[in-house]
């Protein structure tokens, strides 16, 4: 069964925007904090943002003010709005329930930012 499906990535110029979506199985979405991670080539996967079931938000310092995470509990979907994209934002973006380790990673969605 499909548990995490990311979409919405693409190729944009610096300063552009993208909205990423992650559809999750209901059993792993509803009671969990959901997070977005990204992995650039040659680098470790890093936490970008997270949102609790009740809407508590947290962001990595590198994206504060440019990124917004949200969730639609009725659709079991978490979103990541990326604005004012920079080349260093490029990578494969993944969503996951926290804590990690209980659910296989999805295929991710690629974000490419050209300068």
């Amino acid at each position: 069964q499909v548990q995490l499906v990311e979409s919405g990535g693409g190729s944009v110029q610096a300063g552009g925007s993208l909205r990423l979506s992650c559809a999750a199985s209901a059993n792993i979405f509803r009671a969990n904090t959901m997070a977005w991670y990204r992995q650039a080539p040659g680098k470790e996967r890093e936490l970008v943002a997270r949102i609790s079931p009740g809407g508590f938000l947290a962001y990595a310092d590198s994206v504060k003010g440019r990124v917004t995470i949200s969730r639609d509990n009725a659709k079991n979907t978490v979103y990541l709005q990326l604005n004012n994209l920079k080349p260093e934002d490029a990578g494969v973006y993944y969503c996951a329930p926290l804590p990690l380790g209980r659910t296989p990673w999805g295929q991710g969605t690629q974000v490419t930012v050209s300068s």
Side-chain angles (χ1 to χ4, degrees):
Q1 69 278 10
V2 176
Q3 299 192 76
L4 296 166
V5 180
E6 300 91 347
S7 63
S11 183
V12 298
Q13 291 188 331
S17 297
L18 287 171
R19 189 191 193 210
L20 309 183
S21 299
C22 169
S25 300
N27 63 314
I28 61 173
F29 182 88
R30 290 176 182 169
N32 289 306
T33 291
M34 296 297 295
W36 281 96
Y37 284 77
R38 69 185 178 194
Q39 186 167 25
K43 295 187 177 181
E44 293 188 356
R45 202 167 300 189
E46 63 174 349
L47 178 65
V48 176
R50 55 186 171 92
I51 182 168
S52 72
F56 175 80
L57 310 175
Y59 297 96
D61 288 343
S62 60
V63 302
K64 281 181 180 177
R66 302 186 297 114
V67 168
T68 303
I69 188 171
S70 60
R71 63 191 291 160
D72 185 332
N73 292 332
K75 295 182 178 179
N76 299 324
T77 300
V78 59
Y79 303 98
L80 191 69
Q81 178 69 43
L82 305 169
N83 296 322
N84 191 21
L85 281 160
K86 302 177 180 181
E88 52 264 41
D89 294 319
V92 181
Y93 283 69
Y94 303 87
C95 68
L98 297 183
L100 294 176
R102 300 172 296 159
T103 304
W105 293 99
Q107 83 288 349
T109 187
Q110 177 74 50
V111 172
T112 303
V113 185
S114 57
S115 57

